[in-house]
Amino acid sequence: METTLRGVGVSHGVAIGEVRHMGTAVLEPPAKQIPAEEAEREQGRARQAVEAVAADLIARGNLAGGEAQAVLEAQAMMAQDPELMADVERRIAVGSTAERGVYDAFAAYRALLAGAGEYLAGRVADLDDVRNRIVARLLGVPMPGVPDSDEPYVLIARDLAPADTALLDPALVLGFVTEEGGPTSHSAILARALGVPAVVALPGAGELVEGTVIAVDGSTGEIFVEPGDDKRASLEQAAAARKAALAASSGPGATSDGHKVPLLANVGGPADVPAAVEAGAEGVGLFRTEFLFLDDSKKAPSEDKQVDAYRKVLEAFPEGRVVVRVLDAGADKPLDFLTPGDEPNPALGVRGLRTLLDHPDVLRTQLTALSKAAEGLPVYLEVMAPMVADRTDAKAFADACRDAGLEAKFGAMVEIPSAALRARSILQEVEFLSLGTNDLAQYTFAADRQVGAVSRLQDPWQPALLDLVAASAEAAKAEGKSCGVCGEAASDPLLACVLTGLGVTSLSMGAASIPYVRSTLSKHTLAQCERAASAARAADTAEDARAAAQAVLSGE
């Protein structure tokens, strides 16, 4: 019998196939005591397992490239954390086996993070995956992960660790569904980069029976269990129509009446550039530079290394616009040489621009490297600061750019509600705004972007969030400056129309989403987008906002 479930759609497309479940987590190892003379041998086993897992994560990252590489290298650093390893060896010295020492040491660190109010929930999930991989190696059992199958399937999991998501084979994994996660989780972002339909935050996903046929609509978040012939046909027809529309869509982003909306790509480094170019990106709207700094959490990369990486991206978009975000460290992206380790609330502490202003040498080196990377290139370089709270922050960043001799536009990210509310003041110091809707939602609704239980508050259709977008866009228009969106909200084709109607001047997203957004925008006039935006803001819930915009744009 056909039934319908609903989660949060995070990656476009339709997948129909049999359910396969992610390999189960490693069982808790027994708590048995070892003789004192075996402690040194067990400590050696633990060190070897840790190094092997770290090497495997780095190798997976090298294969995946781009954002996935940065995430996996961060996990490898977790595995090799010297304090964790010291705790493991201490536990073994007093009688634990290697596997039990690892299990208990990671559990203690996990409890410490969870006690911070789960602001580091995404890091906790990654930590669990590292622990499971080390313990599995010590126990000699298969690693938890993607099931073996010769036939394509839909993957079901409680959550997907970055190490699993990064190397999914789209030829076998038709789509995936998770119980946890949210629209801005690591897995969601990587799914969009892969172009795999995905739905997250689906309660009871783990109860779907192995082998059951389901249909996954990654746009609406709907899951159809045992879909009938009519439902299959309608979904396949819609998917075919969408594919045809994408194939017919090309060129710069614009509404049907010619209002230009540049469509830019979010990239994590040179490895992400080919997909952006192939998708027809008109430039880069968010160059996340953190990946360079994750190679070594103990020190910043050299100026020469930075110049090389930045230039590779800039060269890919001659005459195009490339917007670089300076290092956004802190919270779920800690770096030993920059971020304090004892903050009770890291997401509300010293992160982003606050960190860089505390370490002006790191900021100056990055700005100098960007200046050198752009020398002689016909690219339009723009540089923006993360986590700008007010005009004082904006001025400090603009001054730093000028002091470094950077010939580029200086901008501010709007990720904190205060920046949206005082956008016109901030624009007295900088030349453009870029809305990071992921963090803006997190801080507007006090809802951690990595926690599935509050994913409804991370929905970019929330009317309060749309109000803040509108306030920022109106301020930019009044000042004769630009206001783009570089958060994941831009990847939703329907929402892209609404953002355009709110006055946003450019949209930046994962490369895989660009054709969908281009095609949808080209079907509607600017006036229709403006009416859809007004209808969405008049609603009281995210669901009603989406429905209201859909009704306007479909002519209902």
Side-chain angles (χ1 to χ4, degrees), residues 26 45 48-53 56 131-143:
V26 177
R45 287 181 64 227
Q48 288 175 356
V50 165
E51 291 305 317
V53 166
D56 178 62
R131 176 203 64 200
N132 290 346
R133 291 174 184 278
I134 297 171
V135 173
R137 182 169 288 274
L138 288 165
L139 291 174
V141 300
M143 291 283 179

Side-chain angles (χ1 to χ4, degrees), residues 29 71 97 130 147 173 222 242 260-261 275 301 327 332 344 405 422 435 442 450 460 494 504 515 531 536:
V71 172
T97 60
V130 172
V173 182
E222 291 175 303
R242 187 179 297 159
K260 294 186 183 302
V261 186
L327 176 63
D332 62 340
R422 300 289 294 173
L435 287 142
Q442 172 172 255
Q450 301 290 348
L494 184 63
V504 166
R531 288 197 296 274

